[in-house]
C-alpha cells in the first residue's frame, strides 16, 4: 500500500522565491485498489510520483511504500515498487528482451525467473511479435508496453504509472487499461495519474484530485458525486477547483 | 691546373650517384635553378714554407636536404685527398707515415640500444598515452550521465533495483575499463605500425622492444591516472545537462592535461618527490624515468598514492553531485547562448563562460606570453600584463557595452580599510614566504627553477622600473582580471565559493607548480579584500605591496639593516612568522569589522 503524509516538494525559483510543486499532500492507496491521481497539466501529479519513487527527496512530510519509508529505506521502496513515467526512457540500442533482462538483473532476480515473468507478461500485453526487435524500431505503443514490463519485472506489490496511456492509440490504451485491472485482481496496489477524466472514471476505485500541488478531494466516484451533486467527473473536478480558487480569493481579501 | 688539383677533382668524381661537371660560366645559374647542388672551386697558393696549399670553396645550401648531403659527401672525399697529399709530403721528407695516426680518437657509446630507444620514446610516449587515456575516457564519460539525461534513461536507472552509489561506481568502473582498453589497443596499434614503418625504412629494430616489466609498470602507473580522470569526467558529466555541454566542460581539463603532459618534452625537468605529488606531471616524468630504466620505487609509490588521494576526493565529489537533485535534474535554460547574452548582457557572466575565458587567457599566456618573455624578459612581462591580462577584459566589457566601473568594482575605498591593507599584505607576504621556505626545506625546488626566479628579481634595469614591472603592473592588471572580471562569473555560488574558485584560477594561471599553494593563499586574501569591501583598489594595493616586498628584499639583501630579518643563506628568519601572524589576524579582524558585506548584492 501507499501512504502519503503532509508531503511537500518545493523548488527554488530564479528570483530566489520557492515554487511548491506539491503542497502538504496526504492520501493513501490500499492493496487491491486502483487509485487515480487526477489533475490538469502541471498540477503536481508527476512530482508527487517522482517523490514516491525516490527520484526526488521530499522537502518535508513523508511517505511509505508497503510500510517502507521513502527517505530512510529508499532501496526497500524501489524493491516494492514498479514505477513508470514519461521520463523513464528505454535503451534504444538493446533488443526488447535484453532490455527487460538487464533491469531484472538489477533487482537480482534469477534469469529463469526473469524469462518466466517476461513470457507471462508478453502474453498478457500482446508483445510476442516484437520481443526480439531493437527498441529503436518500435512504435510508441510498443515502447510503452516494454516500459510497463520493465517496471514490474520484479513483481512488486505497488505500482505507480504516470499517465500510462498518454499518446497511445485506442487499442493499445485498452490493452494497457485491461492489464492494470488484472493487476488489481491479483491484489496489487495501483496508483496511476491522468488528466483524462474518462479514463479515471473507467478504471479508478478512488480518485484523488490534485490542483496547484494541493489535494482538493479524495474519495470513490460515488462519494464525490454525492458530495458535489454532480454526475459527470469533469463537473466534479471543476466544482472542486472553483471551490479552492474561491478560498484563495477570500484569503487574498483578508490580507 | 697542376697534377695535384687534377687528382683532387678526379677523386671527387668517384662519389657515387653524383656527377662532377667541368667548370662553366653558367654554374651559378644552374645552382640557383637547383640543377646542381653545390659548386666547388679550387685555387692554390704558396705557403711561407714553400709548399703549395689548395683552397677549396664549397658553395651549398644548408636549408636544402640534397645540397647538405652533397656537401657531406664532398667533405668525406676531400678528407681522403688531404690524407693522400699529406702522406705524399711526408714520404718526400722521409718521415714515416704512421705519424698520421698519432691521435687515434674513437667513441664508445655506453647507451644500450634499449636506452636510446627509451630516451626517444620517453619524450613523446607519456604525452601520447595521457592524451589517449583522456580522450578514451571523455567520450564514454559524457555519454554515461549527460547522455543518459539527454535520452531520458537516467531516471529509469534511478528507479531500478540499485542505489545511486552503485550507479556511480558502476559508471566509474566502466569509464576506467574502457579508457584503459582504449589505451592498450592504441598502444598495440602504434607499436605495430611504427615497427612496420621503421623496418620498411630499413632501420634495425632489434633493440626496439620494450621489456614486459616496463610496460606493466607504465600501465600500473597509468591506472590511478585513469581513475582520477574517470572521477573528474564523471562529475563533469553529472553536472552537464546534455552531451554537448559535457563535451564543452571537458575541454579545459583536456587543455590543462595536455600542457602538463608536455612536460616530458622538456629535457631539464626530472622526477623528484615534489614532482611526484603533482598529478599528470608525475606520470609523465615517471614514464620518462622508466623508459631509460632510471626510476625510483619511491617516486612510483608517491605518484600512485597522491593520485589515489585526489581520486578519492573526486569520487566523493561525484557521488555528492549525483545525490544533489538540483544538479542531477538541472533544468534547461539558455543563459549560456549568444542569443541570451544579446538579450541580457549581464547573463554573459556565468561559470561556463568564466572557464572558457580563463582557458583562452591561459593558452595565450602559455604560447604568446612565454614567447614574448623569451624574446626580452622585462618587455615580455609588461606586454603579458597589458595585452593578455588587462586589455582583453576591458575590451570585452566595452564590446558588451557593460559599465566597467561597476563590473570591475573600480570604486574608491574608504580610508580605514586602505590603512589596514598594508598591515594585512606585509605579514601575509612574510607568512607565505615562510611557508614556501618550509616546503623548499622538505622538498627542495630544482636549482634551475630558483635561478630563473632570481633572474626575475635581478633584471638589468633600474629598481624603479623593476618595481613597475614586477609589482605595479601585476597589481593593476592581474587584479582587474582576477578580482574584477572573474568573480562576476561565479557570483551565483556565493562569496566564499567565489573567492576560492577565483583564487584557484589565479594560482593555476601562474603556471608554476612550486608556487601554486602560496599564490592560491595570496589569491584568497586578495579576493576577500575586494569582495568584502566592494573596491578593487584594495586588492591592487595589497598585490603591489606583496610583489614589491619580495623585490625590495632581494634588492637590499646586502644592506646591514635588513640582515636582522634574513639569515645567512638569504632566507627569511623563521621567528618573523609569529609577529606576522599576530599582526595579520588583528588587521584581518579589524578589516572585517570596518567593511560591510556589500558585495554580490549590487
Amino acid at each position: 500500500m501507499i501512504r502519503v503524509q503532509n508531503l511537500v516538494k518545493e523548488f527554488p525559483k530564479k528570483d530566489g522565491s520557492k515554487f511548491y510543486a506539491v503542497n502538504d499532500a496526504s492520501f493513501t492507496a490500499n492493496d487491491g485498489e486502483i487509485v487515480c491521481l487526477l489533475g490538469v497539466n502541471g498540477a503536481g501529479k508527476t512530482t508527487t510520483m517522482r517523490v514516491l519513487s525516490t527520484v526526488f527527496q521530499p522537502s518535508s512530510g513523508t511517505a511509505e511504500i508497503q510500510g517502507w519509508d521513502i527517505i530512510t529505506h529508499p532501496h526497500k521502496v524501489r524493491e516494492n515498487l514498479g514505477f513508470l513515467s514519461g521520463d523513464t526512457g528505454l535503451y534504444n540500442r538493446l533488443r526488447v528482451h535484453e532490455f527487460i533482462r538487464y533491469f531484472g538483473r538489477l533487482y537480482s532476480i534469477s534469469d529463469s525467473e526473469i524469462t518466466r515473468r517476461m513470457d507471462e507478461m508478453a502474453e498478457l500485453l500482446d508483445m510476442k511479435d516484437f520481443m526480439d526487435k531493437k527498441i529503436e524500431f518500435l512504435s510508441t505503443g510498443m515502447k510503452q508496453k516494454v516500459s510497463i514490463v520493465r517496471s514490474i519485472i520484479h513483481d512488486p506489490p505497488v505500482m505507480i504509472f504516470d499517465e500510462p496511456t498518454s499518446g497511445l492509440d485506442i487499442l493499445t490504451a485498452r490493452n494497457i487499461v485491461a492489464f492494470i485491472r488484472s493487476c488489481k485482481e491479483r491484489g496489487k496496489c495501483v496508483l496511476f495519474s491522468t488528466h483524462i477524466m474518462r479514463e479515471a472514471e473507467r478504471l479508478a476505485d478512488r480518485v484523488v484530485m490534485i490542483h496547484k500541488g494541493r489535494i482538493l478531494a479524495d474519495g470513490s466516484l460515488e462519494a464525490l458525486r454525492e458530495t458535489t451533486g454532480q454526475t459527470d467527473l469533469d463537473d466534479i473536478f471543476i466544482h472542486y477547483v472553483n471551490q479552492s480558487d474561491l478560498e484563495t480569493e477570500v484569503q487574498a481579501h483578508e490580507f | 691546373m697542376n697534377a695535384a688539383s687534377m687528382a683532387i677533382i678526379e677523386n671527387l668524381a668517384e662519389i657515387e650517384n653524383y656527377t662532377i661537371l667541368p667548370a662553366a660560366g653558367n654554374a651559378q645559374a644552374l645552382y640557383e635553378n637547383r640543377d646542381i647542388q653545390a659548386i666547388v672551386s679550387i685555387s692554390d697558393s704558396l705557403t711561407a714554407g714553400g709548399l703549395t696549399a689548395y683552397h677549396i670553396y664549397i658553395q651549398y645550401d644548408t636549408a636544402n636536404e640534397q645540397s647538405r648531403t652533397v656537401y657531406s659527401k664532398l667533405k668525406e672525399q676531400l678528407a681522403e685527398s688531404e690524407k693522400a697529399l699529406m702522406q705524399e709530403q711526408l714520404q718526400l721528407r722521409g718521415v714515416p707515415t704512421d705519424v698520421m695516426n698519432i691521435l687515434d680518437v674513437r667513441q664508445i657509446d655506453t647507451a644500450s640500444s634499449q636506452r636510446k630507444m627509451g630516451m626517444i620514446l620517453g619524450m613523446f610516449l607519456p604525452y601520447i598515452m595521457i592524451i589517449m587515456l583522456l580522450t578514451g575516457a571523455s567520450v564514454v564519460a559524457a555519454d554515461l550521465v549527460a547522455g543518459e539525461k539527454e535520452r531520458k534513461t537516467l531516471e529509469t536507472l534511478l528507479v531500478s533495483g540499485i542505489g545511486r552509489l552503485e550507479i556511480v561506481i558502476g559508471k566509474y568502473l566502466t569509464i576506467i575499463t574502457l579508457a584503459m582498453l582504449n589505451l592498450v589497443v592504441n598502444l598495440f596499434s602504434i607499436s605495430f605500425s611504427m615497427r612496420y614503418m621503421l623496418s620498411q625504412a630499413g632501420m634495425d629494430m632489434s633493440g626496439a622492444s620494450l621489456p614486459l616489466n616496463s610496460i606493466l609498470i607504465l600501465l600500473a602507473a597509468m591506472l590511478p591516472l585513469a581513475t582520477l580522470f574517470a572521477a573528474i569526467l564523471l562529475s563533469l558529466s553529472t553536472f552537464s545537462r546534455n552531451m554537448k555541454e559535457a563535451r564543452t566542460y571537458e575541454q579545459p581539463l583536456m587543455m590543462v592535461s595536455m600542457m602538463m603532459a608536455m612536460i616530458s618534452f622538456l629535457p631539464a625537468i626530472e622526477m623528484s618527490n615534489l614532482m611526484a605529488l603533482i598529478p599528470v606531471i608525475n606520470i609523465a616524468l615517471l614514464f620518462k624515468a622508466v623508459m631509460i630504466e632510471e626510476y625510483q620505487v619511491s617516486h612510483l609509490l608517491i605518484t600512485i598514492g597522491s593520485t589515489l588521494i585526489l581520486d578519492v576526493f573526486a569520487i566523493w565529489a561525484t557521488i555528492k553531485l549525483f545525490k544533489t537533485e538540483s544538479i542531477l535534474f538541472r533544468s534547461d535554460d539558455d543563459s549560456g547562448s549568444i542569443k541570451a547574452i544579446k538579450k541580457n548582457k549581464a547573463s554573459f557572466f556565468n561559470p561556463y563562460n568564466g572557464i572558457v575565458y580563463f582557458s583562452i587567457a591561459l593558452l595565450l599566456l602559455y604560447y604568446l606570453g612565454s614567447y614574448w618573455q623569451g624574446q626580452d624578459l622585462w618587455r615580455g612581462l609588461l606586454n603579458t600584463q597589458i595585452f593578455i591580462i588587462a586589455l582583453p577584459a576591458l575590451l570585452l566589457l566595452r564590446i558588451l557595452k557593460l559599465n566597467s566601473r561597476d563590473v570591475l568594482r573600480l570604486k574608491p575605498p574608504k580610508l580605514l580599510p586602505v590603512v589596514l591593507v598594508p598591515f594585512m599584505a606585509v605579514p601575509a607576504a612574510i607568512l607565505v614566504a615562510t611557508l614556501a621556505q618550509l616546503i623548499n626545506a622538505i622538498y627542495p625546488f630544482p636549482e634551475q627553477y630558483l635561478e630563473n626566479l632570481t633572474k626575475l628579481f635581478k633584471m638589468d634595469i633600474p629598481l624603479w622600473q623593476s618595481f613597475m614591472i614586477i609589482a605595479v603592473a601585476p597589481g593593476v592588471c592581474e587584479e582587474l582580471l582576477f578580482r574584477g572580471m572573474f568573480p562576476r562569473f561565479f557570483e551565483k555560488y556565493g562569496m566564499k565559493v567565489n573567492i576560492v574558485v577565483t583564487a584557484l584560477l589565479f594560482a593555476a594561471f601562474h603556471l608554476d607548480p612550486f608556487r601554486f599553494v602560496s599564490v592560491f593563499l595570496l589569491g584568497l586574501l586578495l579576493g576577500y579584500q575586494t569582495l568584502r569591501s566592494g573596491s578593487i583598489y584594495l586588492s591592487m594595493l595589497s598585490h603591489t605591496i606583496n610583489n614589491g616586498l619580495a623585490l625590495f628584499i632581494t634588492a637590499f639583501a646586502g644592506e646591514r639593516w635588513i640582515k636582522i630579518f634574513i639569515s645567512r643563506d638569504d632566507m627569511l628568519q623563521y621567528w618573523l612568522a609569529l609577529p606576522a601572524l599576530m599582526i595579520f589576524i588583528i588587521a584581518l579582524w579589524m578589516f572585517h569589522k570596518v567593511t560591510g558585506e556589500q558585495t554580490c548584492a549590487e
Side-chain angles (χ1 to χ4, degrees), chain B residues 98 122 153-154 172 279 298 322 324 339 355 418 431 442 525 563:
Chain B
D98 52 4
T153 49
L154 188 62
Y172 171 70
S298 65
F322 211 83
T324 310
K339 219 165 126 191
I355 296 294
V418 179
L431 288 171
I442 302 167
L525 175 67
K563 288 278 180 216

Side-chain angles (χ1 to χ4, degrees), chain B residues 451-475:
Chain B
E451 262 173 44
N452 283 340
L453 206 62
T454 327
K455 219 189 284 172
L456 195 64
F457 288 114
K458 289 182 177 157
M459 280 189 289
D460 204 11
I461 47 176
L463 186 61
W464 70 269
Q465 273 186 23
S466 288
F467 182 71
M468 293 305 287
I469 292 163
I470 289 179
V472 178

Side-chain angles (χ1 to χ4, degrees), chain B residues 86-88 90-91 94-102:
Chain B
M86 278 171 79
Q87 265 173 346
E88 202 178 290
L90 289 173
Q91 275 170 349
V95 182
T97 50
D98 52 4
V99 76
M100 302 270 302
N101 302 326
I102 201 159

Side-chain angles (χ1 to χ4, degrees), chain B residues 281-317:
Chain B
I281 288 184
N282 53 14
I283 303 276
L285 291 177
L286 187 72
F287 261 54
K288 227 168 133 180
V290 168
M291 287 312 228
I292 53 171
E293 294 168 334
E294 274 177 8
Y295 72 98
Q296 289 175 17
V297 179
S298 65
H299 291 158
L300 178 70
L301 294 180
I302 297 176
T303 299
I304 293 178
S306 65
T307 313
L308 285 180
I309 290 170
L310 286 173
D311 193 19
V312 168
F313 181 73
I315 299 176
W316 171 81

